Amino acid sequence: MKFISDTRGKVGGGVLLALLGAGIPALVGAALHSHVGEPYQETRLYFGTERPGGRAPVAEKEFMRFLDREITSAFPEGLTLQDGHGQWRRDGKVIRETSYEVVLLYPEKEADERSARIERIRRAYEDQYQQDSVGRSDDEVTAEF
């Protein structure tokens, strides 16, 4: 007795569907993530407003003056300012405060020189407003303007 099976056709069809299923998301992903722009560095700075010793927080007008005087003069080509609400722990107690996030984008080839500017900004804010620190994060991105 001879048995004939069409399993080969079912398996082949399943493999074809699997390949198509895997390929379509990859094609869509490639289309959505095509290379746009040039290599840039993105730096985010996090400015808290609470001051030690029960002193009044850094007011919005004070921060805006600092932004104009220190940050805009160092990055005149532009930046993004976002309002935030930060929190951190001191002596086992959670401190919540109004904060500001400044986003800076600059060409990767200028990263060393721009980093020096950013460190001056951080030190100036810490000194002027009695802050423990100004947070900083850096990422490599591509950007086009």
Side-chain angles (χ1 to χ4, degrees):
M1 178 180 249
K2 188 174 182 183
F3 292 97
I4 299 175
S5 173
D6 65 337
T7 311
R8 192 174 20 184
K10 289 179 185 174
V11 171
V15 170
L16 179 61
L17 285 174
L19 289 172
L20 284 174
I24 290 172
L27 290 173
V28 170
L32 292 176
H33 299 291
S34 62
H35 177 74
V36 176
E38 298 299 320
Y40 269 70
Q41 187 77 18
E42 177 186 84
T43 298
R44 293 175 180 264
L45 299 175
Y46 305 94
F47 297 89
T49 57
E50 290 298 314
R51 296 188 217 194
R55 295 186 55 217
V58 177
E60 183 178 355
K61 283 185 178 182
E62 287 179 285
F63 185 79
M64 295 309 287
R65 278 195 305 270
F66 180 84
L67 179 78
D68 291 342
R69 187 178 60 251
E70 301 289 341
I71 305 173
T72 301
S73 64
F75 290 87
E77 57 280 341
L79 55 86
T80 299
L81 173 64
Q82 301 180 70
D83 291 331
H85 302 281
Q87 71 178 41
W88 49 282
R89 185 179 299 270
R90 180 194 305 151
D91 301 325
K93 185 176 164 187
V94 174
I95 309 295
R96 290 183 173 88
E97 64 184 329
T98 299
S99 61
Y100 298 99
E101 178 184 22
V102 174
V103 182
L104 305 166
L105 287 170
Y106 45 92
E108 183 69 34
K109 62 186 175 201
E110 299 175 12
D112 290 341
E113 189 269 328
R114 298 294 186 115
S115 185
R117 293 183 200 182
I118 290 165
E119 289 307 304
R120 283 193 295 273
I121 291 166
R122 293 177 72 204
R123 281 192 304 276
Y125 191 80
E126 290 166 4
D127 292 345
Q128 290 176 35
Y129 299 106
Q130 299 79 46
Q131 298 293 301
D132 292 331
S133 67
V134 171
R136 176 181 178 171
S137 65
D138 294 287
D139 285 305
E140 294 176 4
V141 299
T142 56
E144 185 173 348
F145 297 96

